[in-house]
Amino acid sequence: MKLQKNMDMKNLYDRYCLRQKHSLFLSLLVLAILYAVCVVTLILISDRPARENIAHLIPLCITAAVCFLVAVCVQVQALFRVLAIYFSVAVWFCLLSIVFVPMLLLEKTATKDNVAIVMCIIVFIYTMMPVNKIQALTASAVTSIAHLVLSGILSDRHVQCLNWQLIANAVIYLCMNLVGLYHKWMTDIAQMHTFMDTRYCIESRIKLEYEKEQQEQLLLSVIPAYIAAEVKRGIIVKMHQSTLDVSRRPSAPPSSMFHEMYVQMHKNVSILYADIVNFTPLAHGMEAAELVKTLNELFGRFDKIAQDNQCMRIKILGDCYYCVSGMPISRPTHASNCVKMGLEMIEAIRAVRQATGVDVDMRIGIHSGDVLCGVIGLRKWQYDVWSDDVTIANHMESSGMPGKVHITKETLMQLDENKWEVEPGNGAQRDELLKEHEIETYFIVPLKRKASIESESEVDLKALGSGPRGSIMSSTRVARYLESWEADKPFANITEGVVAKNIELTSLALIEASLLQPRRNSCWNFRYWINVEDIHPVSLHFTDTSLERLYYRQPDPVFKYSIACVSLIYFCMLIIQVFFMPKNLVLYISYGAIFFLFVILLGVSWAENVQISKSRHTAVLSSVSRMVTDGPCLRMFITTTTMAVLVAAAVITMVDCTLSDNKLKDSQSIVNFSQLVISDTTSLFVSTTNITRCQESSSNNCYFSSYYAYCCLLALTACSVFLQVNFLLKIFISLVATILYIVIFNYLRPDIFTSPDSETEFPLTQPVKYTIYVTLLFLTLHVIDRKIEYTSRLDFLWKTKFSFEQEEVETMGSVNKILLENILPAHVASHFLSPNRRTDELYHQCHESASVLFASIPNFFKEFYYQTDITKDGLECLRVLNEIIYDFDKLLLKPKFCAVEKMKTIGSTYMAAAGLVPGQENKHQTPHHHLIVLLEFAFAIIAILNQFNKDSFNEFRLRMGLSHGEIIAGVVGAQKPQYDIWGNTVNLASRMDSTGVVGKIQVTESTARVLEAAGYDCVCRGPVHVKGRGMLTTYFVRAPGMRSPENSRDRSFTLDMKK
């Protein structure tokens, strides 16, 4: 899969490079057509007969026609992708025909002619043709060598200094090839960076979408959507405020004495509580995997029933299930929805009972009223509901009867009397709270089931309950039967999200859409140059000035390579000038000073990379080198100075170029130089005969004036070497240079370019010819520079967007981490986020030794909580509970309590456990270290609540139950997955709390023995009746004196609840 992705990415990159070359290739075709048409027009209007110019006209016309045909064909992108190399070869042959056809057909051929057009062809090949580096080097080398060989063969052997001209031409071609390779190498790197930055940006965007999708799924698994938005916004605001400097943070509003609480009031809803009767003894015989699977199937079916009846599941408490109808969307049928759901739950469990013969049933309690719903605390958020009506609904379930739906009079009043039949429930006789509030209760009389349903149940009973049923444990029979329900697995959608399913294909598709989107514009359309609205279409500046400043100030790590390349061009110009130009004081002073300048620039720019020693001078040079790389103003000054110096150096010796007959003097200077540079062993290139002829036939100093034009072309090429410099600066200097050269060719010194002993039969004069070449090269370099500027700015734009996207990804990752920590324990979350996990398996763990704590505040709802206008229907009372839970949760952030996991809050009860993380036990710790840690946590929350009471003038008291032993942990529920623990240890801890005494920690006898062995003082309470266990001897753990926690906040508030 990875290899396939790499192949697809390589193919995509090749297509991207081809797309980048598409516009340049079209520009090449346009320039070739313009050149051919311009030269043909000038030839036709010249005085020479057309038949004498046929050798020039034929290749020019063919080139124009072929280029036009190719330009039409490449408008079809598919055709260009397939035939790009063939189009390039065709254009290359046409350009070669312009050079070589006249050379082969005409009688006179000069070695110093056609060099300019060959230089332009080399530039075309490296910069504009859709070929790779090897193909470009091959084509350029063939072009250069072919011209050198043919010009050497076809030229008159008696021409002045033939071998020197061939060497000079070879130097020029070598220089152009090296510059072309440099340009090709740097642009390929820039294209690769742009492609990779685009890829990273798009992949980060996909990752961001995946993070958002995953975050939504995780958050909505515990919190409804209408509260989830507030939770996310609150988290992001807090993260943003935490990154601000303390002095810049906004002052806290007066209400900041309270922490954020995401709770809303919903009126006129119905609450359903359901409990699976006789499930606890059934669960005792199940293995961990079997229990978790059974609960997941049951609660998965209940979730489906709730969804069908427009009910929202709130929470799972062991084998207890409760939900609400009428929120977040108000529904007039909320009571009917809950009743129908209760009946369907009873039917579902009856099917289990009839099919397996196991005595399990449902006890349902329903009440209608108002609720506060949301999340409280700092960690392990779970959506919950609070109100007096919720408490009544809970007691309706506990006072109900198995197999019946127990409703209050308030619920009955919401039902259609003609649709439902009821009978007295007498709940007040079985529950003190119902009796205290004089609540009338009723049982729903189920509608008569159809005979077909009864017969189907009998078939199920015979099929699944007969035969070996008696020999199979009841728990196993239930588990096997529930497998047929095929409930979804928890968090199955996390790894199968819309984005996550096809993330690889999505990445490739988006990259292709961003980099290879179809373009309606053609190369001569003005808008062709840019299709990004962030960049100005003319100047290519960013429309955002801050972005432009960042782009301008970015360092240029390749600047030293540009200096090296310009130095190479200068060296080639120096060789040509020494070969053929007057060797006078102007040459020595100008080129000597420039040589000294380039030595300094090379030393400064490369000092950081080439350190011979660690002396102080080397350190200074390195710092200067870094200043050049990082300083945009200094780089611009160096670039401007370098380009201006080379432009001037190309023609500076022309001031002393005359037509005087100083044959011997000038020829002798050439001989002296040849003797100085070329030893006797170079007779292969320069013979004594040639030197003598060069002496005798040289008519003036400027006989080789064509090489002035070639130096001008080299100087123009040098202006384009600085790839990272703003193209407006380059075009300005190049334009000034082009105008200067044209003026010199045609007005200031036309005499040296109109020598009467011209060797060729080219129909145009040399000033006109060189004017065309200079203009052609200027336009070519402008097109290239503009394309490079656009690519560079686009790359910077992608990098900037990538950085912004990366920040968003990191922010979402932090939010996601916070949400994970508030939904699942870290080791459970890592399991579900693992890409290698199997989605068809349920998460479950069996812990042989773990501890469970239940800590309740019994007097909170009995004495403190009131639903009045002053308390905003209990909202302000719940805010106090949120503060208490928040302080409890903060204790979990301390390293000493890292092994404690908050499980949930149930009303005003706080449930925590320890010893649930596999592999967390230290070999130096006792086997029951988790119990000690959890007990210390219990002592800590006692101290926290005492300090809270002191600050707020309240009298809240804790009643706590603690137990340890074997525990089964797992995640159940597909629509709203929930991490929970089950087992006898959990039930005992809950009973230790419910049967305990306010202000004390009650533990079982086995737990007390472990604590006493660890040095804690336990006092025997005596036998206590525990539901489901009979009489048990329990103990109270004596809490040591606890000091008030540090940094406690002053909460000087009281509420007059009873007004």
Side-chain angles (χ1 to χ4, degrees), residues 423-439:
E423 60 186 17
N426 301 319
Q429 299 177 6
R430 298 182 296 272
D431 189 271
E432 290 296 327
L433 184 139
L434 299 181
K435 181 180 180 180
E436 179 183 349
H437 291 79
E438 298 180 353
I439 296 175

Side-chain angles (χ1 to χ4, degrees), residues 22 33 37 64 84 91 127 148 202 416 424 548 598 618 622 641 811 933 951 990 998 1001 1004:
H22 181 261
I33 294 172
V37 170
V91 173
T127 60
L148 288 173
I202 290 173
D416 185 356
E548 181 65 29
F598 277 106
T618 306
S622 298
T641 303
T811 301
V933 172
D951 293 341
S990 176
V998 173
I1001 303 174
T1004 61

Side-chain angles (χ1 to χ4, degrees), residues 726-1021:
N726 190 291
F727 91 104
L728 292 178
L729 175 63
K730 291 189 285 187
I731 192 178
F732 173 75
I733 297 178
S734 300
L735 181 61
V736 171
T738 300
I739 295 174
L740 174 65
Y741 294 155
I742 292 175
V743 170
I744 290 175
F745 295 157
N746 294 277
Y747 301 103
L748 296 182
R749 297 304 305 270
D751 53 319
I752 64 175
F753 294 102
T754 55
S755 177
D757 53 349
S758 175
E759 299 179 8
T760 64
E761 299 179 359
F762 194 78
L764 302 180
T765 62
Q766 285 192 6
V768 174
K769 180 173 63 173
Y770 294 139
T771 297
I772 294 174
Y773 291 150
V774 169
T775 304
L776 176 62
L777 186 61
F778 166 74
L779 293 176
T780 301
L781 296 178
H782 169 62
V783 171
I784 297 169
D785 290 339
R786 190 178 179 91
K787 184 67 176 179
I788 291 174
E789 181 82 5
Y790 165 65
T791 304
S792 176
R793 287 181 175 270
L794 187 62
D795 181 39
F796 178 78
L797 193 61
W798 278 116
K799 286 180 180 178
T800 305
K801 290 184 177 181
F802 171 69
S803 177
F804 178 74
E805 296 277 352
Q806 193 69 19
E807 290 179 2
E808 283 198 22
V809 168
E810 291 175 357
T811 301
M812 283 301 168
S814 300
V815 173
N816 194 29
K817 181 180 179 181
I818 294 173
L819 292 173
L820 274 174
E821 292 175 350
N822 282 285
I823 295 173
L824 299 170
H827 66 284
V828 181
S830 61
H831 167 80
F832 281 104
L833 293 180
S834 173
N836 300 322
R837 78 175 182 96
R838 294 181 56 182
T839 56
D840 59 341
E841 291 184 353
L842 290 167
Y843 175 82
H844 60 85
Q845 288 287 337
C846 183
H847 304 278
E848 295 182 358
S849 181
S851 306
V852 183
L853 171 70
F854 280 82
S856 60
I857 308 175
N859 63 331
F860 182 86
F861 282 100
K862 288 182 179 180
E863 302 173 4
F864 185 81
Y865 182 87
Y866 289 95
Q867 294 181 200
T868 64
D869 292 337
I870 294 178
T871 63
K872 298 181 181 178
D873 292 326
L875 182 62
E876 297 303 323
C877 299
L878 198 62
R879 195 179 299 278
V880 175
L881 180 62
N882 179 63
E883 295 298 308
I884 296 173
I885 302 300
Y886 197 98
D887 286 349
F888 290 176
D889 289 346
K890 282 202 300 185
L891 288 174
L892 299 174
L893 301 177
K894 294 185 176 182
K896 64 182 295 186
F897 298 130
C898 64
V900 179
E901 287 286 348
K902 175 187 175 183
M903 299 306 301
K904 65 186 73 173
T905 56
I906 309 134
S908 61
T909 301
Y910 192 94
M911 179 184 176
L916 301 180
V917 182
Q920 193 179 56
E921 298 82 4
N922 192 317
K923 63 180 181 179
H924 301 293
Q925 297 173 351
T926 62
H928 300 101
H929 176 74
H930 55 82
L931 178 60
I932 308 303
V933 172
L934 193 57
L935 180 62
E936 290 293 335
F937 178 76
F939 291 156
I941 65 176
I942 291 174
I944 286 286
L945 189 60
N946 290 338
Q947 183 64 43
F948 186 94
N949 289 332
K950 182 179 178 181
D951 293 341
S952 61
F953 306 103
N954 284 300
E955 295 182 358
F956 297 123
R957 302 286 301 279
L958 277 171
R959 185 186 67 202
M960 309 174 76
L962 181 63
S963 179
H964 82 287
E966 184 176 351
I967 287 178
I968 296 175
V971 178
V972 296
Q975 294 186 10
K976 294 183 183 297
Q978 180 177 317
Y979 177 76
D980 210 345
I981 54 178
W982 304 271
N984 185 51
T985 303
V986 180
N987 295 333
L988 279 177
S990 176
R991 301 305 180 196
M992 290 299 100
D993 168 37
S994 60
T995 62
V997 177
V998 173
K1000 296 185 180 294
I1001 303 174
Q1002 184 173 229
V1003 299
T1004 61
E1005 186 175 5
S1006 60
T1007 302
R1009 290 174 181 171
V1010 175
L1011 294 177
E1012 288 175 341
Y1016 291 90
D1017 189 10
C1018 297
V1019 180
C1020 181
R1021 180 187 181 185

Side-chain angles (χ1 to χ4, degrees), residues 17 45 178 349 374 430 462 671 821 927:
C17 292
I45 63 176
L178 292 176
I349 210 70
R430 298 182 296 272
K462 293 178 180 179
V671 174
E821 292 175 350

Side-chain angles (χ1 to χ4, degrees), residues 102-123:
M103 291 178 64
L104 296 173
L105 296 181
L106 297 177
E107 295 181 1
K108 291 184 178 181
T109 298
T111 308
K112 57 188 175 64
D113 288 336
N114 292 324
V115 174
I117 188 63
V118 173
M119 293 172 67
C120 291
I121 292 174
I122 293 174
V123 172

